[in-house]
Amino acid sequence: MKRNCASALWWLAVTLVVMSWSWLSLAQDNDGFNRRGNILISDQFNNRVIEVNPETHGIVWKFGDGSSVAGSNSVVAPNDAQRVGPFTLVAGTGAPAGSEPTCPSGCADNRVMLVDPNRQIIWQYGQTGVTGSGPDQLNTPVQNTWLPNGHILITDQGNARVIEVTLDKKIVWQYGMTGTAGCGANQLNNPNSAELLANGHILIADESNNRVIEVTRQKNIVWSYGSCTGTELNGTAFASRLPDGHTLITDSNNNRILEVNPAGNVVWSYVTNARPGSVSNPLPTRAVRLCNGNTLISDQFNNQVIEVDHDGTIVFQQGKIAIVGDTFDLLNAPYDAKVNGDYTGLTPPFFF
């Protein structure tokens, strides 16, 4: 039985790769689902993941029916989504208490899901609506990264850990002590993202420790910016390693994006609450560098996804600043946004 299960999972991984290459090539010339250049957005408090055409601002694909109850057709307060060929890897994070009118005490989801183009969940880690730390259990998964080896890297925030899981749901690597928040050896405090680097290390945004750390597979910290007792960062929401070796950091509680070089010097920054119409504390959650050199920012409580150039000029925006909605060109606390086919600074799901 175990041998057959392993064989089936191996074929699933092969099928994903083959189908992904086919879909990626077919998607080059259409204007709908999975078109290169479309933007995949985790529209957190609208309980949905949407793919939008940046020219028309229209939604061309959606997962999540808006319900705040986790189920086969719903996702509660997704914090992260990634396109894996024709499939979408979605972090069903769950809504904290008081964040939605229907969730006064919070609404759990606690799943990482692989969703097909027809919005069917074909793989899942974590039990629907169950909060835990045991086998196949999560506690507020905030980010998921599909690795080139077919494993999934999950930032399991409430359990204070980053885990690498296989398709047959085995944990094969972990950083952070399950359920123990701290700043000591092999400890995290409210981690918010993790990316696999080209050198095999893991780059972690350790949010409540106000730092970004690069750790080896042997769990040694070999690079860091910020510190548990320092003031460089406040609420580190995301970090990615750029092709030139710089690190792009979303410094959420300071409402800014920083680019730092390996020596820790700030070489570029953008403040999101200084623009006209901004709320005082928008708490940006994601910033990713694009292949054109611009930066795509999820400016959470300004309810917008914006693209800015190196001079800080906004060249694209989805959503209306400080306006909440779920109709055309409106968002509700977007947490993450990525451009289809653009993995600049991010972990590519396959060997592109």
Side-chain angles (χ1 to χ4, degrees):
M1 181 65 68
K2 289 182 179 178
R3 183 177 180 180
N4 290 340
C5 180
S7 177
L9 287 167
W10 185 84
W11 278 108
L12 172 61
V14 171
T15 301
L16 286 173
V17 174
V18 172
M19 289 183 67
S20 296
W21 280 107
S22 300
W23 275 81
L24 280 171
S25 60
L26 289 171
Q28 300 299 312
D29 299 320
N30 69 58
D31 293 324
F33 171 77
N34 211 23
R35 184 188 75 127
R36 280 186 180 271
N38 282 355
I39 302 174
L40 192 67
I41 299 172
S42 296
D43 192 12
Q44 186 182 25
F45 293 142
N46 278 328
N47 297 316
R48 63 183 184 176
V49 173
I50 58 174
E51 179 180 350
V52 300
N53 182 314
E55 285 82 30
T56 66
H57 297 272
I59 296 173
V60 299
W61 184 85
K62 179 179 76 168
F63 175 71
D65 58 11
S67 172
S68 56
V69 178
S72 59
N73 299 309
S74 61
V75 58
V76 182
N79 277 197
D80 191 64
Q82 175 190 16
R83 187 54 52 76
V84 184
F87 304 97
T88 307
L89 191 65
V90 178
T93 306
S99 61
E100 296 186 38
T102 56
C103 293
S105 301
C107 291
D109 193 317
N110 294 316
R111 298 175 293 170
V112 165
M113 299 161 281
L114 192 66
V115 180
D116 72 12
N118 296 316
R119 304 170 184 84
Q120 302 299 309
I121 299 170
I122 63 171
W123 181 87
Q124 175 177 311
Y125 187 90
Q127 299 167 30
T128 305
V130 175
T131 301
S133 60
D136 194 26
Q137 290 183 340
L138 298 170
N139 182 356
T140 320
V142 287
Q143 199 231 358
N144 43 207
T145 298
W146 187 278
L147 304 180
N149 63 1
H151 296 173
I152 299 91
L153 197 63
I154 300 173
T155 304
D156 190 17
Q157 186 177 78
N159 283 323
R161 65 183 181 176
V162 171
I163 56 175
E164 179 181 344
V165 302
T166 63
L167 286 171
D168 55 353
K169 302 186 179 182
K170 292 183 174 62
I171 297 176
V172 294
W173 185 82
Q174 175 172 330
Y175 189 88
M177 298 178 184
T178 302
T180 301
C183 196
N186 191 31
Q187 287 186 329
L188 300 169
N189 188 358
N190 220 46
N192 212 57
S193 74
E195 291 285 329
L196 173 67
L197 303 180
N199 60 10
H201 300 167
I202 308 295
L203 188 70
I204 300 172
D206 191 13
E207 182 177 22
S208 293
N209 278 330
N210 302 315
R211 64 179 182 172
V212 174
I213 56 174
E214 178 183 342
V215 302
T216 67
R217 290 294 189 165
Q218 293 73 39
K219 304 181 183 180
N220 298 313
I221 297 176
V222 295
W223 184 87
S224 65
Y225 182 80
S227 67
C228 306
T229 58
T231 58
E232 297 94 341
L233 300 171
N234 186 3
T236 316
F238 189 71
S240 62
R241 181 61 50 76
L242 304 179
D244 61 3
H246 293 180
T247 303
L248 190 67
I249 301 169
T250 306
D251 186 19
S252 184
N253 291 347
N254 284 323
N255 299 299
R256 62 180 182 172
I257 314 302
L258 299 179
E259 180 182 341
V260 301
N261 64 18
N265 300 313
V266 176
V267 297
W268 182 81
S269 65
Y270 180 83
V271 176
T272 72
N273 65 347
R275 54 200 186 95
S278 174
V279 300
S280 60
N281 202 29
L283 302 176
T285 43
R286 289 282 193 275
V288 296
R289 184 61 46 82
L290 304 179
C291 62
N292 62 7
N294 294 344
T295 303
L296 191 69
I297 301 170
S298 300
D299 202 13
Q300 187 182 26
F301 293 118
N302 271 328
N303 300 304
Q304 282 192 312
V305 171
I306 58 174
E307 180 183 342
V308 301
D309 64 17
H310 191 268
D311 296 325
T313 301
I314 296 175
V315 297
F316 167 82
Q317 50 194 324
Q318 182 79 20
K320 307 297 184 186
I321 191 165
I323 297 176
V324 171
D326 62 0
T327 54
F328 178 76
D329 199 21
L330 291 177
L331 302 169
N332 189 353
Y335 205 94
D336 170 72
K338 300 183 182 78
V339 172
N340 286 350
D342 192 338
Y343 295 97
T344 305
L346 303 176
T347 305
F350 310 114
F351 291 110
F352 284 101

